[in-house]
Amino acid sequence: MAVEIRIPPVLQIGGGSFSTVAALLLRLGCTRPFIVTDPFLMKSHLAARLATQIRDAGMSCEIFHETVADPTTTVVEAGVGSFKHGGHDSLVSLGGGSPIDTAKAIRMLAANGGEVRDYKVPRPIPAGGPAHIAIPTTAGTGSEVTRFTVITDAETGEKMLLAGDALLPSAAVVDYELTLTMPARLTADTGTDSLTHAIEAFVSRRANPFSDGLALSAMKTIWRELPTTVREPGNLRAREAMMLAATQAGIAFSNSSVALVHGMSRPLGAHFHIPHGLSNAMLLPAVTAFSVEAALGRYAECARTMGVAQAYDTDPSAVDQLIRSLYSRNAELQVPSPKQFGVAEERYIELIPTMAVQALASGSPQNNPRIPTATEIEKIYRQLF
Ligand SMILES: [Fe+2]
């Protein structure tokens, strides 16, 4: 099988790489960058530090800090308005997945016009648009290296998946020092999102030898280091390892795919505002248990790589240990059920058929080793509650 691999042309990786952003912009020929961030990073002065670095290099910039946790079409449209009004020639996104995903959509509309929903999967995105430097502050969504963005339709509430090479950032700046102040819950949730990316990229029907190597390396590191970063937020070694692994997992799934966990996770986020990494965590053990029979060898390899099974374990025994370990890791990281999260039971039950339809429509479940029917998806949602 021949595959085409796409990654950003420039990856600046390592502690202190944040200070290279202005030089990168100049290399890309930019003079008027538009910074996309969120209110929290505005308050923490990180956005101001970025703006100062850019202005000190002789460029002018504007900060757009209205991004929200689940980026909506409304926010994207406001961003496009400010981008055009300010005559900007580039974007710098700073934050978790939300500011980066928002910047991707702003860039796409600035170059192609129309509305976000015009480009929903499987519709193509014709033009790339202005330069975009992505700076993640979590480890992480991997959005800085992926060809995807997820935007919620403000009218229908649907979480729309958009995919295409045009969404790939021009450069990613991956500096683990930006993650040192992440609170424990965010560290746990974004880290589990990364673990899910690595596992899903590896078991996906679109897996390939290139994505496999990165996925295995990432899942090994994330499984080992995530509890340390949650317990010891200032552990530089663990933070650095997690940051690199999250980016590797991002490259892996961008060049393979995610699968059923992500397909089912998006509707949970859209309807109940469960943070993305947390809804992935809720789903990962149950979806793994559902899927293993169709890719026993692959899941067993995950188990051995993560160190939850030994080389001499048979495949069925290794996957049993994988499923058990995923459940116990959730307990350790205090992952709630939807009910414990505060979701109203009646509303949840009522929405299950809709969520199943939306999960299937995203295309991700079709990449799962065991392709589910709507009824099977509904059953997993019910079991989860
Ligand atoms: Fe994700």
Side-chain angles (χ1 to χ4, degrees):
M1 175 180 75
V3 287
E4 180 175 290
I5 302 301
R6 296 299 302 261
I7 58 173
V10 182
L11 298 174
Q12 295 279 3
I13 293 174
S17 53
F18 181 68
S19 65
T20 67
V21 177
L24 254 177
L25 282 165
L26 292 171
R27 261 167 65 190
L28 293 167
C30 308
T31 56
R32 296 180 66 80
F34 184 64
I35 298 173
V36 180
T37 190
D38 63 25
F40 175 78
L41 291 164
M42 199 62 196
K43 224 169 101 185
S44 77
H45 304 298
L46 190 62
R49 267 176 59 202
L50 179 61
T52 303
Q53 184 193 141
I54 289 170
R55 290 188 186 118
D56 285 352
M59 292 169 275
S60 65
C61 65
E62 178 189 348
I63 303 176
F64 177 82
H65 56 85
E66 284 86 15
T67 66
V68 293
D70 294 299
T72 61
T73 44
T74 312
V75 172
V76 171
E77 282 154 20
V80 173
S82 302
F83 181 87
K84 285 185 175 166
H85 185 256
H88 295 284
D89 61 3
S90 49
L91 296 115
V92 181
S93 55
L94 175 72
S98 300
I100 299 176
D101 276 9
T102 304
K104 286 176 173 177
I106 293 172
R107 178 196 196 200
M108 176 191 76
L109 291 187
N112 297 283
E115 295 180 51
V116 178
R117 65 178 68 90
D118 301 337
Y119 303 98
K120 208 168 91 171
V121 161
R123 300 281 295 277
I125 302 163
H132 172 202
I133 298 177
I135 313 170
T137 58
T138 64
T141 64
S143 184
E144 72 278 4
V145 288
T146 74
R147 305 178 295 159
F148 307 103
T149 184
V150 178
I151 304 293
T152 303
D153 190 322
E155 280 171 32
T156 64
E158 183 193 359
K159 273 202 167 191
M160 300 180 288
L161 174 67
L162 288 78
D165 295 340
L167 294 174
L168 201 67
S170 321
V173 173
V174 184
D175 186 339
Y176 76 90
E177 290 175 4
L178 306 184
T179 68
L180 293 175
T181 52
M182 257 203 295
R185 185 74 265 155
L186 189 63
T187 299
D189 294 346
T190 52
T192 307
D193 185 27
S194 304
L195 178 69
T196 310
H197 294 155
I199 294 176
E200 294 211 287
F202 188 71
V203 302
S204 164
R205 287 169 177 262
R206 295 169 67 185
N208 57 77
F210 179 89
S211 57
D212 282 353
L214 290 163
L216 289 170
S217 169
M219 73 179 77
K220 181 178 183 174
T221 303
I222 297 165
W223 187 259
R224 190 184 61 219
E225 304 293 353
L226 179 57
T228 312
T229 53
V230 171
R231 267 194 324 266
E232 305 168 34
N235 187 315
L236 300 183
R237 186 200 51 76
R239 287 288 196 190
E240 183 170 22
M242 274 299 297
M243 192 63 162
L244 179 61
T247 295
Q248 288 177 320
I251 296 173
F253 90 82
S254 187
N255 289 284
S256 167
S257 78
V258 284
L260 184 56
V261 177
H262 273 75
M264 291 182 65
S265 181
R266 292 183 206 106
L268 286 176
H271 296 290
F272 303 110
H273 299 288
I274 304 175
H276 174 67
L278 195 59
S279 52
N280 280 348
M282 291 172 182
L283 285 156
L284 184 58
V287 169
T288 302
F290 169 81
S291 309
V292 283
E293 66 172 43
L296 208 57
R298 285 249 143 189
Y299 280 104
E301 197 168 344
C302 291
R304 294 187 191 103
T305 301
M306 288 155 58
V308 301
Q310 304 305 316
Y312 53 76
D313 285 318
T314 62
D315 287 357
S317 152
V319 299
D320 277 351
Q321 291 173 70
L322 175 66
I323 295 163
R324 263 205 306 276
S325 303
L326 291 173
Y327 276 113
S328 60
R329 176 58 63 84
N330 272 4
E332 183 186 348
L333 296 179
Q334 298 178 324
V335 174
S337 65
K339 186 178 183 172
Q340 290 162 336
F341 182 79
V343 170
E345 185 164 5
E346 212 173 303
R347 180 89 182 120
Y348 184 86
I349 301 295
E350 178 187 293
L351 276 170
I352 283 179
T354 309
M355 293 198 292
V357 169
Q358 289 173 338
L360 281 170
S362 75
S364 300
Q366 287 76 9
N367 297 321
N368 206 57
R370 180 176 169 193
I371 299 176
T373 62
T375 313
E376 286 167 333
I377 291 181
E378 291 182 15
K379 198 174 157 198
I380 299 173
Y381 275 133
R382 263 193 299 275
Q383 178 195 341
L384 210 66
F385 193 79

